Amino acid sequence: MIVTSVTVRVPAKINLQLAVGPLRADGYHDLVTVFHAVSLYDEVTVAAAAADSVTVVGEGADQVPSDGDNLALRAVHELRAAIAERDDVLVDDDDDDDDEDEDAAGDEDEEAPAGPLREGGAPYIGGVAVTISKRIPVAGGLAGGSADAAAALVACNELWQAGLSQQELCDVAAAVGSDVAFAVLGGTAVGRGRGERLSPALVAPAVYHWVLAFADGYLSTPAVYGTLDKLRANRAVGTPELSAELMSALRAGDAERLGAALSNDLQAPAVSMFPALRKTLSAGIEFGALGGLVSGSGPTCLFLASSAARASDIAVALSGAGVCRAVATAAGPVPGALVVRGSVV
Ligand code: C5P
């Protein structure tokens, strides 16, 4: 049996807490964050092909790079390298040389290599055609690009029957981007370091109901971190600490306490760069949310509601108030990247 294509569904992430420490020498910031995966999904399909390529369709597709800068393609390259390092396998790394013509070739006409098989019967690690179907807004603070990279890792692990464990996939993910490992894991987890060092959070089995208010515009994550550094230029920045109140609310499954404990150090810089968010945030609270904040580096705003019905009411009210481009409701936590379809010959 040879797997010819695999489709993975992957959730958006929000940060229930995002505490940012001082700028490090490597350009990153030490974080303590509480990641939470919510039911807004992208789908990523990988199919065996003669060379690597990526096609993006759906929400904001024209904003996603389709060359070697695409995070999903970078994830494919990292996984191929990790497998080659681990096994003595046949790896076709012709397209690791960033040859743009080859990457952009859109190789539908070329026959996918069906073999040879690796030792133990697993398929040859050749090129992949990656198709990303987007619903998570691009550059919205919901880690959509990282989600697609995580999905590509999980999908190629199946396509190539490489057998990496979830922990091994998380290790590869950490090399691709700070939020990629969490998208593999999902649920609710505490992130440290750049955000890539994860431990699952001890939480009550509660479902939380979120409203996502999508902004009419984008924010660049490095630019928002840069603005935070400027805003803090004249004061000492301490080591980030996990919020005991937030973790206690999660352990109790208490939405009201969780709403009051939400926090994000990137909110002030995001709002200073995108002042319209102030109105969005106050409208959500006025319409009855238990808490609201900017998601990650923004500009999406998040609101916690006391029930699914209240979330729908808040979404309708936000829509009517004209304080955002679009709204969605989502529940969390949900699992990370999961295979939903595949085909074999
Ligand atoms: O890791 P990732 O590529 O997602 O990070 C994007 C950018 O966000 C980094 O280049 C850096 O400017 C900023 N960042 C940071 N500290 C982190 C994570 C991201 O400064 N912990």
Side-chain angles (χ1 to χ4, degrees), residues 22-28:
L23 178 63
R24 306 191 318 202
D26 65 359
Y28 283 89

Side-chain angles (χ1 to χ4, degrees), residues 27-31 146 176-179 193-195 221-222 225:
Y28 283 89
H29 297 73
D30 269 323
L31 305 179
S146 300
V176 182
S178 307
D179 295 338
R194 283 186 295 126
T221 300
Y225 274 102

Side-chain angles (χ1 to χ4, degrees), residues 89-274:
V89 295
L90 286 163
V91 174
D92 175 5
D93 58 3
D94 275 0
D95 40 35
D96 275 351
D97 58 9
D98 288 324
D99 180 330
E100 283 197 15
D101 291 343
E102 200 173 22
D103 278 353
D107 308 291
E108 300 96 72
D109 297 333
E110 294 186 46
E111 280 290 305
L117 295 180
R118 287 195 272 144
E119 212 176 304
Y124 168 76
I125 298 183
V128 286
V130 181
T131 306
I132 302 173
S133 177
K134 291 213 65 69
R135 286 190 56 218
I136 305 172
V138 177
L142 295 163
S146 300
D148 300 339
L153 287 178
V154 170
C156 286
N157 190 39
E158 286 300 312
L159 183 75
W160 296 330
Q161 294 170 46
L164 270 74
S165 65
Q166 191 179 61
Q167 183 52 55
E168 287 170 320
L169 287 177
C170 283
D171 292 344
V172 178
V176 182
S178 307
D179 295 338
V180 182
F182 175 70
V184 172
L185 196 66
T188 304
V190 177
R192 292 194 165 80
R194 283 186 295 126
E196 86 291 5
R197 278 183 14 231
L198 297 174
S199 44
L202 189 63
V203 297
V207 177
Y208 299 102
H209 301 280
W210 300 96
V211 181
L212 312 182
F214 305 128
D216 199 5
Y218 308 94
L219 280 173
S220 139
T221 300
V224 175
Y225 274 102
T227 303
L228 175 68
D229 293 334
K230 278 191 209 128
L231 290 175
R232 289 167 156 185
N234 296 320
R235 53 190 162 99
V237 179
T239 311
E241 304 269 355
L242 186 61
S243 160
E245 172 53 20
L246 183 107
M247 295 311 285
S248 163
L250 286 170
R251 275 195 302 276
D254 186 329
E256 205 157 315
R257 281 174 59 203
L258 177 61
L262 298 168
S263 71
N264 178 3
D265 285 352
L266 293 182
Q267 177 159 311
V271 170
S272 81
M273 295 167 75
F274 205 129

